[in-house]
Amino acid sequence: MKESCPGSSEIRTPFPEELICAYCMHKNEIWTDEPDTVCKGCGKTITRDMKPSCLQWCPAAKECVGAEKYERLMKKLKEQGS
């Protein structure tokens, strides 16, 4: 992977965040490069809102963050209509 811009740092170097399940209110850990996770409380798939990012406009985004991660995140952004 080549050197990348600071705008992709959350994607390239993910960190954990807390996501509360809307179904059972259980606190779940989700990484900043994950669009969804399975709730540890009830087993349902929960999705966090994906904020707009450089993935959507930068011509080097796929190379910057890696093809697999790029495809997974772009699919979720399209599903959310971002």
Side-chain angles (χ1 to χ4, degrees):
M1 239 182 282
K2 69 183 221 175
E3 190 174 327
S4 17
C5 72
S8 66
S9 63
E10 279 187 13
I11 299 166
R12 289 180 295 105
T13 312
F15 55 89
E17 293 182 322
E18 189 176 271
L19 182 63
I20 297 175
C21 177
Y23 302 103
C24 72
M25 304 309 287
H26 184 80
K27 291 180 185 177
N28 293 274
E29 180 180 273
I30 189 167
W31 290 78
T32 54
D33 68 338
E34 295 177 324
D36 49 36
T37 190
V38 175
C39 177
K40 304 288 189 261
C42 66
K44 294 187 184 218
T45 299
I46 52 176
T47 304
R48 68 183 178 100
D49 290 331
M50 299 289 293
K51 54 188 171 188
S53 76
C54 57
L55 294 179
Q56 297 165 286
W57 56 264
C58 180
K62 189 180 237 180
E63 185 179 350
C64 179
V65 300
E68 181 183 334
K69 192 177 286 191
Y70 174 83
E71 297 297 335
R72 181 171 40 91
L73 294 173
M74 286 303 293
K75 179 181 176 192
K76 188 54 74 172
L77 282 166
K78 287 177 185 170
E79 287 174 5
Q80 291 183 356
S82 294

